[in-house]
Amino acid sequence: MLMLAQLASLSFVQKIGKQHNHVLVVMPRAESLPEDLPGNLPGRETLQRTLARRKEKAASLARTPLCAAVDGALYVWAMDDPEAPRFARASHLRKAMQPLLDEGPERLCIAVLGTPEERAAAASLAAEIAWINGHPLPRMKGGAEDKAGKARAGRETKDKTPGPLRELALCGWRGDLAASEALALANTLARELTQLPQNILTPESYRKRIKKLARQEGWSHEEYDFARLEKMGAGAFTAVARGSQNGEAAIVHLSYKPKKSGKNTSCERIALVGKGICFDTGGLNLKAARWMLGMHEDMAGSAVALGLLLAASRLRLPLEIDAWFALARNHLSPQAYAQGDIVAAIDGTTIEVVHTDAEGRMALADTLCLAARQKPDLMVDFATLTGSMITALGTRYSGVFASDAALGAEAVAAGAASGERMSLFPLDEDYEEALESKVADIKQCTMEGEADHILAARFLRRFTGGHLWLHVDLAAANCKGGLGAVASDVTGFGVAWGLELLRKRLTR
């Protein structure tokens, strides 16, 4: 993560102004400002003249940030309303910061004004946005020879410009930014993994990355490889995994346990489950090219779960967290599962295969079974599971299903508070009538496709062991033009929401 300097005095801007060519000035909402702009406002004279030239008042900055040059430096002035919805605030400040980050600066100065509460709210959000968007995602750009050689070697490269943001100077407020930093780090990890193409992020290389991160962070690590899962009777996962080559598919289990001290020897146990299909062809029910493009992102759920585990452990949340990752590819193969197959999940439930492109729920079924055996207090799974959720919501919200109404309300509230908006969907029992099978305990899906996002959730619920459970269908994993605090199409959606949910559970 980049270097951070914090000073309570705005005079810091003037003192090092020559060192900073990129400055974001965040003011409170217009009604809390005096009639005249504050005397200590960085770039005040330029802002006044620019507003006058445009025949605008300072209040216009609440709608549209203003960008101008001050003594050769690029300044942006914007307003932040702490009482506005988190999503709206994040979107506004991200768009305000974009002209600065577009130039690829190594240093960025953020100055905040207003009451202590207003400055604290603006500083934490602006720093989070700078950290998230100041780190470029992996790209395969460079010289033609270099690009071809490294692609053949299966190593990602990064184009040299714009480079990462290395220094952040925060003026006008001093305080703890650990949560903002941890969230930005976790979101960036999730987006970096999701961005990687399937010839680089294979199930095998993904397993190596997870193992390396586990060593670095001190998490316990366990793998259930194909042979082990086959012996255990995990027929739902291995049905999909037969399309992967060389036995590369596996379910990976990580555990984080906080240090216990004094009388606080027990804490809530959370299970995070992520779909990690590194590429989805649709299997024998092959996708059309239009729908197969971008299917390297079908592992976004696992990346979100991994990022959330990283954020929680960096913040040392007093929770025991088990994270489970279902890693495979849904490929064509003579051994691949087919329509009409009947397989048994690890808990003995028999499943009639109806469509091979509904592989995510198959891989998650056995993974949820393993997670449920640990008897967690709460299970949360993340998956880019159904196209019907995108049809229902588009890509600006994600859908959530809850095992009870109170938990559903918690999930929606966490969406509003985090700026990652969630819509709660029904999970009524009568929907499952569509999944009744004449030859097995349950159908995997239906051919009609009606309400498939709800049917998928009903299917998954059977494997949760009756535990408190949330299912997140990540319709917003990729949103063209960015979403909320994130400027890239790949959003890392779910990390901020999950961290907010976990932190709120600690204060109940």
Side-chain angles (χ1 to χ4, degrees), residues 264-404:
N264 298 321
T265 58
S266 64
C267 52
E268 191 171 31
R269 191 166 193 179
I270 308 295
L272 305 176
V273 177
K275 174 187 171 185
I277 302 298
C278 294
F279 194 73
D280 180 17
T281 67
L284 294 181
N285 297 123
L286 193 66
K287 293 178 184 286
R290 178 183 177 188
W291 305 117
M292 201 187 301
L293 185 65
M295 279 297 105
H296 64 284
E297 296 179 8
D298 208 19
M299 40 59 64
S302 63
V304 168
L306 185 61
L308 181 51
L309 176 64
L310 178 63
S313 62
R314 285 293 179 95
L315 292 173
R316 301 179 182 177
L317 296 187
L319 296 166
E320 291 188 8
I321 302 177
D322 291 281
W324 303 81
F325 310 96
L327 307 183
R329 285 192 272 202
N330 188 27
H331 259 308
L332 296 173
S333 165
Q335 290 77 41
Y337 79 134
Q339 289 176 293
D341 285 357
I342 297 175
V343 300
I346 203 167
D347 67 348
T349 300
T350 56
I351 303 165
E352 177 187 357
V353 176
V354 174
H355 200 295
T356 63
D357 198 18
E359 85 297 331
R361 66 200 76 182
M362 299 286 287
L364 287 174
D366 281 322
T367 312
L368 286 167
C369 284
L370 289 174
R373 288 181 174 182
Q374 303 286 337
K375 298 185 178 177
D377 298 299
L378 172 65
M379 300 175 69
V380 186
D381 76 71
F382 299 90
T384 47
L385 202 64
T386 65
S388 62
M389 184 60 81
I390 296 176
T391 300
L393 290 176
T395 60
R396 307 190 71 79
Y397 267 70
S398 285
V400 65
F401 297 83
S403 56
D404 68 40

Side-chain angles (χ1 to χ4, degrees), residues 23 27 155 160 204 224 240 487 503:
V23 180
M27 294 176 279
R155 299 192 300 271
K160 296 179 180 179
E204 183 178 10
Y224 296 77
V240 177
R503 294 177 77 188

